């Protein structure tokens, strides 16, 4: 199985570390000061000494005007003007009424325009408004003559092809105003000014309107004085505007007048506002701020030029004015003014305000005669763009020199990025470089050539930081137009200077050391890495007087760069470290760029590693914080890449090159092994930790580089695959997440990775929707972005393809084959189906498809495979075992497993397993069997719970798995499922455990069971224990189990009797309490007793009780004699006294109940004793024969019972019905006669005893020889029918077929017993014959209750002697 990457967490941690590194490096670059930060003083004049190798500008080439244009110039009759259009690569030249666009790039070609007949005095190039002109028109040429201003369309040719003019027939009159300057805005507006002091706007549209012309002009805001000038004097010059500039970012037009006033016209809002920065304010404030320098002189003060500073360059500084002496005056917000400046404000001025005066540079090596008599420059034209200032200084009427300044980025960057958090007293200093260069001819115009942005627009927040942006675009170039041609200057960047040093003389170590000191080791090493990577922003280097290609200089420069990285890119020396710490503790901290991103106080990365981090961050800056997609059409839901494919490709290419260089020079960037002492010292340990941290950081950055390369490749793939379709096919939540995600999150977070996977799935689904193979797409994705489409993804897509073919096929064999193949592939990548975001939907969809294909086992197998993969360590089981705390982080694995299980039971539901009726189908049985084969305890529990919840407990009893028994044990905790475990044991023929479980249920108080149910469980337990073969389980003593259960059942039956007795007692007491005939006290006493007994009833009914508790808490207190005897029987108590008391108490109780109910007491006693005696017989401990004979034989003759006539043989009959044998009874009766103990003293007692013995012997004889012998004896003795009835003939007339005298039993007389009986009879006869009956003797305790007169007793004794002799004679004949 293809597993989820084992190091997924480690990979994510590395990406997080690399992302943090990039963020920190980009954040440090944004510490570069804002322009206004330098204006902490009123003026500044510091410039770095000029280094020939690092001059600001280097002259690339000079291009002379072509001879053909000189020939045209010779035809000049009136005026000639010229200027620069670098946007289209042309110089414009007017000779009288003719216009020429000269292609200075090739030096010879030009396009003429000669359709006008008026002298051309000014030309401007502007962008047209949208949807006004033909779509091929890229620009408008605004051509001003003294009479009219014409608009001419221009289509820019590609490459070296010529530009094309388009006649627009649009023009406006000038009203004889000389047009001095023209400017256009990005949205196509055109402004112009003339010598009338007014600002005009040209309005133009595609068609004429009812009240508007196709082309017209209107005054924007008139000069304040022009409103007071009469019409006939309207052309009088009222301080006319000589130059207009437009701040596109702030929508402000600035106009410089002849008298050095600056008009400020705001175009925001409906009404345009106009204000003036007066020349007097500028002069006075400038002189005050520069009091130590005589650069602002009243006699020479004149503003020669103005330039805007857009918001992208500065938020607070908006305007730069250049005086004729070269002084730069910066204007901006009032909030930046100091106290003195605000105090001297002209209240009429509403801004901007003069913030800072920048003194022009001086040059020790300037050519003689450069400065004028007063030592001032004579500036007549200037150029300013993003920190670079270039001015034209007039030497004389025929020649100019060029003065240039630019920020010295090295010191500024070192100090600004080194400032520590919380330190706010760092004061930026405006450090600039300056240079002067001679020119041939007079300067007519200067302009910067639009550069090539290699990776999209530069972030405005770092636009002024040259070190941060030098590789983001081509080297800046400037065009200087003179009367002899065009000269091209290139801005020398720090990396250009480094390349030149590396090429010119690789032995000049001092200059290299100076370079590293100037820019810092980290920045210098970062530039060396850029050189090694041959970054496309590098410029050709100069060898002598010729430019050499990068290819030709690559080898020597690369070797030198690698050497510098090795020599200068290592660890800080102790002295450097100490110096860094000292600086860190001062107001300006040491450079953080030499430290690790997340360092301890003791740890530092090497310079080259931090340089690598910086270089990587700069490569990623164009995309890092940018969003991946943007909405292009809200209604139709169309999206596109936020960043163009050209920019993405450029960034990807740079990253790929960096990865290649790192792989080639990996030893250069890998920390060197640490040589330690033995044992390692504390400093050694720190070095080891730092080296390990750097190795980890390097690994993280290498991983990030690969991730970015593949991530960009994936986005480019989406662009080519119609991104809108792919995005529209993912979930709405994911669409919203995608709209807000940046490249940083996409490339370094699991969320971004998941979104990419969703998009890949959407693309694949689109392919499948068009019935196209996915192999080509998946192979492409795996090749270009393996981390976003890894081998597991490919398997997933192939599995999806097989599933699609299975669904679309009509052949049953193909359906099954493709379904099984898809299952095989899906099982290799189950983690793709249960990922953190949308995996559950994938799994659910696949399972639904399998259900539709009737591939039920496959759906179950897939879902359970996914469950095991999502939680391979089975943390969910531990989570359940530990109580399922919601704060436990294992709850996530549990939730994911449950999702997989739910898909499984959905299959079961489809098969009807949720129905409580009907047997399982073969499909269902096979599917359930498949599920049960998985060794997943949590799933088994989930499945069993599901079956129970749907009333299919019968299925549980059919399941054979290692988990079912444990599960059923848990089920016994519930009332509704208590019976499942013992039923399961019986199902599997485990009767011993079934008996144990049944016994446990009977004993348990957990369940709501009636006592009868408890006895039923005990009875079942005994039955199962009897079915349990002895020795079948060595851990269980089978015989002992059976004994324990039987004893418990016996005690339970006793308890049931007690319960029934208690219930009857409660009812009796309740009846008495409701008896209206009883007095109130009696009724109250009955109620209390009823309540007390009911409490006992409830407690006794609640559970099985121990025999001791029953005896002492219920039986003895309540005198429940039947139960008392039963307890003696169950407990094997050998205590004749307590047994006798119990029997006597029982008999007395029965007697009282009979009397109270008006029944015959002896009859009730006879019946009850027989029942109870049979219950305990033959227990000699509970039914001792001697005790039973004595109790029953004497009971009819007690005082309380003497009034009730007992039938002959009453005691004998009861005892024989209980089961006592004749011989034992005979011995017991005979023993009483022999011992004559207690009450059995005297002739009357002997007569009663012998009478019952004679009855017993007759019955014994009948038992042995049949009742016929009794008929014979009766006939022999002459006993009548009435007399027979007196002796026990209870069933009527005695006949040969009469069974016995109502007696049943076994045992017969034999010769031995007969001889013993004969001897006893002889003894009885002698006793009777020897007895004296006159007067009536009273010898025993109850002789007086035996009754009868003397004659009666004599008669009875005589008759008894006859019967005894007859019996003896019969026995003698028989034996």
């Amino acid at each position: 199985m293809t597993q989820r990457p084992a190091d997924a967490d480690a990979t994510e941690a590395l990406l997080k570390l690399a992302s943090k590194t990039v963020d920190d490096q980009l954040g440090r670059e944004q510490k570069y000061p804002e322009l206004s930060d330098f204006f902490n003083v009123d003026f500044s004049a510091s410039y770095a000494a000029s280094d020939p190798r690092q001059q600001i500008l280097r002259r690339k080439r000079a291009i002379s005007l072509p001879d053909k244009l000189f020939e045209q110039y010779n035809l000049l009759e009136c005026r000639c003007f010229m200027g620069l259009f670098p946007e289209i690569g042309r110089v414009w030249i007017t000779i009288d009424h003719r216009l020429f666009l000269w292609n200075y790039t090739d030096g010879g070609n030009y396009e003429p325009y000669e359709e006008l007949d008026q002298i051309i005095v000014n030309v401007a190039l502007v962008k047209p408004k949208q949807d006004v002109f033909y779509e091929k028109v890229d620009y408008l040429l605004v051509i001003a003559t003294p009479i009219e201003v014409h608009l001419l369309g221009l289509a820019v040719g590609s490459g070296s092809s010529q530009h094309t003019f388009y006649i627009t027939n649009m023009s406006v009159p000038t009203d004889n105003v000389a047009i001095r300057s023209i400017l256009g805005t990005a949205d196509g507006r055109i402004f112009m000014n003339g010598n009338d002091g007014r600002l005009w706007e040209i309005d133009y549209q595609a068609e004429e309107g009812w009240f508007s012309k196709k082309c017209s002009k209107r005054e924007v805001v008139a000069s304040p004085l022009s409103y007071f000038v009469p019409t006939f004097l309207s052309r009088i010059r009222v301080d006319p505007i000589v130059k207009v500039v437009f701040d596109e970012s702030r929508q402000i037009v600035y106009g410089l007048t002849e008298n050095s006033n600056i008009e400020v016209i705001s175009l925001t809002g409906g009404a345009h506002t106009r204000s003036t920065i007066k020349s007097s304010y500028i002069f006075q404030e400038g002189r005050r701020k520069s009091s130590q320098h005589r650069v602002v002189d009243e006699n020479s003060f004149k503003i020669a030029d103005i330039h805007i500073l857009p918001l992208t360059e500065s938020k607070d500084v908006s305007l730069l004015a250049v005086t004729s002496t070269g002084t730069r005056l910066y204007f901006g917000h009032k909030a930046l003014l100091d106290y003195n400046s605000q105090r001297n404000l002209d209240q009429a001025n509403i801004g901007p305000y003069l913030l800072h005066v920048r003194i022009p540079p001086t040059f020790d090596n300037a050519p003689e005669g450069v400065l004028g008599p007063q030592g001032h420059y004579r500036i007549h034209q200037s150029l300013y763009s993003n920190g670079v200032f270039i001015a034209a200084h007039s030497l004389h009427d025929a020649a100019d020199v060029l003065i240039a300044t630019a920020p010295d980025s090295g010191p500024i960057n070192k100090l600004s990025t080194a400032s520590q958090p919380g330190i706010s007293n760092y004061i930026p200093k405006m450090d600039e470089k300056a240079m002067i260069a001679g020119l041939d001819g007079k300067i007519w115009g200067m302009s910067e050539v639009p550069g090539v942005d290699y990776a999209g627009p530069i972030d405005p927040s770092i636009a002024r930081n040259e070190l941060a942006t030098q590789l983001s675009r081509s080297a800046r170039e400037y065009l200087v137009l003179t009367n002899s041609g065009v000269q091209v200057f290139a801005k020398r960047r720090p990396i250009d200077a480094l390349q030149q040093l590396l090429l010119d003389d690789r032995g000049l170590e001092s200059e290299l050391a100076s370079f590293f000191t100037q820019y810092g080791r980290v920045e210098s090493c970062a530039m060396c890495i850029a050189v090694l990577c041959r970054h496309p922003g590098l410029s050709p280097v100069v060898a002598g007087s010729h430019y050499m290609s990068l290819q030709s200089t690559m080898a020597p420069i690369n070797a030198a760069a690698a050497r510098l990285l090795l020599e200068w890119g290592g660890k800080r020396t102790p002295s450097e470290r100490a110096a860094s710490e000292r600086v860190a503790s001062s107001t300006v901290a040491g450079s953080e760029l030499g430290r690790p991103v997340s360092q301890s106080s003791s740890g530092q990365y090497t310079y080259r590693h931090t340089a690598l981090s910086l270089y990587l961050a700069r490569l990623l800056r164009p995309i890092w914080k940018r969003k991946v997609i943007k909405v292009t059409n809200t209604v139709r839901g169309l999206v596109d890449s936020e960043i163009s494919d050209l920019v993405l490709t450029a960034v990807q290419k740079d990253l790929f090159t960096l990865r290649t260089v790192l792989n080639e020079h990996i030893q250069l960037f890998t920390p060197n092994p640490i040589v330690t002492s033995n044992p390692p010292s504390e400093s050694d340990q720190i070095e080891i930790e730092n080296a390990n941290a750097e190795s980890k950081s390097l690994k993280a950055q290498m991983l990030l580089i690969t991730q970015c390369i593949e991530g960009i490749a994936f986005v480019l793939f989406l662009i080519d695959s119609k991104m809108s379709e792919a995005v529209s096919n993912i979930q709405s939540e994911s669409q919203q997440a995608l709209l807000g995600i940046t490249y940083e999150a996409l490339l370094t977070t699991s969320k971004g990775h998941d979104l990419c996977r969703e998009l890949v799935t959407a693309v694949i689904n689109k392919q499948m929707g068009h019935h196209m193979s996915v192999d080509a797409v998946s192979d492409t994705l795996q090749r270009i972005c393996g981390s976003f489409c890894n081998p597991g993804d490919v398997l997933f897509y192939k599995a999806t393809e097989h599933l699609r073919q299975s669904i679309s096929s009509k052949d049953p064999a193909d359906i099954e084959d493709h379904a099984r193949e898809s299952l095989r592939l899906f099982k290799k990548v189950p983690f793709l189906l249960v990922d953190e975001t949308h995996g559950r939907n994938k799994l659910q969809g696949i399972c639904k498809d399998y259900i539709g294909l009737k591939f039920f086992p496959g759906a179950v197998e897939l879902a359970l495979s996914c469950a095991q993969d999502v939680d391979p360590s089975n943390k969910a089981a531990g989570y359940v075992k530990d109580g399922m705390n919601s704060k436990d982080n294992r709850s996530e694995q549990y939730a994911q497993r449950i999702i997989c299980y739910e898909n499984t039971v959905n299959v079961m539901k489809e098969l009807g397993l949720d129905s409580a009726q009907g047997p399982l189908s073969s499909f269902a049985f096979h599917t359930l069997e498949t599920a049960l084969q998985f060794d997943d305890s949590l799933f088994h529990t989930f499945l069993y719970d599901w079956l129970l919840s749907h009333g299919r407990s019968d299925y549980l009893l059919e399941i054979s798995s290692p988990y079912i028994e444990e599960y059923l044990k848990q089920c016994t905790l519930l009332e509704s499922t208590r019976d499942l475990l013992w039923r399961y044991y019986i199902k599997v023929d485990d009767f011993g455990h079934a008996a144990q479980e049944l016994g446990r249920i009977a004993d348990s108080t957990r369940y709501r069971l009636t006592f009868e149910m408890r006895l039923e469980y005990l009875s079942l337990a005994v039955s199962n224990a009897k079915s349990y073969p002895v020795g079948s389980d060595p851990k269980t003593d089978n015989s002992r189990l059976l004994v324990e259960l039987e004893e418990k059942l016996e005690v339970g039956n006793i308890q049931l009797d007690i319960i029934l007795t208690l219930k009857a007692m409660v009812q009796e007491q309740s009846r008495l309490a409701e008896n209206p005939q009883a007095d109130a006290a009696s009724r109250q006493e009955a109620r209390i007793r009823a309540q007390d007994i009911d409490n006992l009833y409830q407690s006794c009914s609640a559970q099985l009780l121990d025999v001791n508790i029953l005896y002492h808490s219920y039986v003895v207190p309540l005198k429940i004699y039947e139960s008392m005897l039963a307890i003696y029987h169950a407990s094997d108590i050998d205590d004749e006294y307590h047994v006798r008391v119990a029997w006597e108490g029982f008999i007395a109780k029965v007697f009282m109940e009979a009397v109270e109910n008006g029944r015959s007491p002896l009859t009730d006693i006879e019946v009850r004793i027989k029942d109870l005696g049979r219950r305990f017989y033959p227990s000699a401990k509970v039914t001792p024969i001697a005790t039973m004979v004595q109790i029953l034989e004497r009971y009819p003759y007690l005082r309380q019972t003497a009034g009730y006539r007992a039938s002959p043989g009453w005691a004998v009959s009861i005892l024989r019905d209980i089961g006592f044998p004749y011989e034992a009874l005979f011995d017991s009766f005979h023993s009483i006669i022999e011992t004559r103990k207690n009450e059995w003293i005297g002739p009357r007692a002997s007569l009663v005893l012998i009478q019952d013995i004679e009855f017993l012997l007759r019955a014994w004889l009948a038992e042995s020889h049949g009742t016929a012998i009794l008929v014979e004896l009766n006939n022999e003795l002459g006993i009548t029918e009435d007399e027979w009835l007196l002796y026990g003939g209870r069933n009527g007339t005695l006949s040969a077929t009469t069974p016995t005298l109502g007696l049943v039993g076994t045992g017969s007389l034999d010769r031995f017993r007969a001889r013993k009986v004969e001897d006893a009879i002889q003894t009885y006869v002698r006793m009777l014959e020897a007895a004296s009956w006159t007067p009536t003797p009273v010898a025993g305790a109850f002789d007086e209750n035996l009754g009868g007169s003397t004659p009666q007793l004599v008669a009875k004794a005589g008759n008894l002697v006859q019967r005894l002799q007859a019996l003896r004679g019969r026995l003698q004949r028989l034996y």
Side-chain angles (χ1 to χ4, degrees), residues 171 210 282 295 505 557 615 646 681 782 1041 1059 1152 1275:
S171 63
W210 285 97
I282 299 173
V295 294
D505 191 347
I557 289 180
Y615 182 72
L646 295 177
S681 64
Q782 189 175 2
L1041 173 64
I1059 291 170
M1152 292 298 297
N1275 292 334

Side-chain angles (χ1 to χ4, degrees), residues 97-302:
H97 64 282
R98 291 169 294 171
L99 170 66
F100 301 93
L101 296 183
W102 170 43
N103 183 355
Y104 60 82
T105 58
D106 61 18
N109 295 325
Y110 62 89
E111 296 98 11
Y113 179 71
E114 301 177 321
E115 302 300 322
L116 300 179
D117 55 4
Q118 303 163 16
I119 295 174
I120 299 174
V121 296
N122 208 335
V123 181
L125 184 72
V126 300
K127 293 292 288 184
K129 292 180 181 178
Q130 288 187 355
D131 303 324
V132 174
F133 301 103
Y134 185 50
E135 61 181 8
K136 290 187 178 180
V137 174
D138 301 304
Y139 291 94
L140 288 179
L141 288 172
V142 184
I143 305 173
T145 69
I147 306 300
E148 290 180 310
V149 177
H150 299 267
L151 302 184
L152 180 65
L154 180 69
V156 178
S158 59
S160 60
S161 59
Q162 291 193 340
H163 300 338
T164 304
F165 299 113
Y166 288 91
I167 305 299
T168 66
N169 295 319
M170 291 185 180
S171 63
V172 295
T174 63
D175 296 330
N176 295 322
V177 173
I179 303 302
R180 295 200 170 190
S181 62
I182 304 169
L183 64 87
T185 66
D187 57 358
R189 299 178 71 179
I190 302 173
F191 298 95
M192 62 183 182
N193 68 281
N195 57 2
D196 61 348
R198 300 178 182 181
L199 179 65
W200 301 90
E201 179 177 4
I202 299 177
D203 287 330
Y204 57 98
Q205 55 191 10
E207 301 293 339
E208 291 187 355
W210 285 97
F211 302 102
S212 60
K213 296 180 179 180
K214 194 173 183 181
C215 186
S216 62
K217 71 172 184 176
R218 62 181 179 86
E219 185 177 3
V220 179
V221 178
S223 171
L225 297 178
S226 64
Y227 293 105
F228 304 99
V229 178
T231 305
F232 67 92
L233 296 176
S234 61
R235 286 189 294 276
I236 295 178
R237 296 174 62 189
V238 184
D239 191 19
I241 296 174
V242 295
K243 181 177 181 181
V244 178
V245 293
F246 179 60
D247 186 347
E248 194 86 48
S249 62
R250 298 181 179 90
Q251 290 293 297
I252 295 177
V253 176
Y254 297 98
L256 175 63
T257 70
E258 284 187 352
N259 295 333
S260 297
N261 294 308
I262 300 176
E263 302 289 345
V264 183
I265 303 171
S266 175
L267 302 183
T268 58
H272 299 159
T273 60
R274 181 171 186 166
S275 62
T276 303
I277 309 175
K278 294 182 179 180
S279 174
S280 58
Y281 161 74
I282 299 173
F283 167 72
Q284 292 170 5
E285 187 66 8
R287 185 171 60 179
R288 186 187 68 80
K289 287 181 178 292
S290 61
S291 58
Q292 298 180 16
H293 292 263
R294 300 186 62 187
V295 294
V296 181
D297 183 72
E298 185 175 4
N299 296 324
S300 61
F301 179 73
K302 182 176 180 62

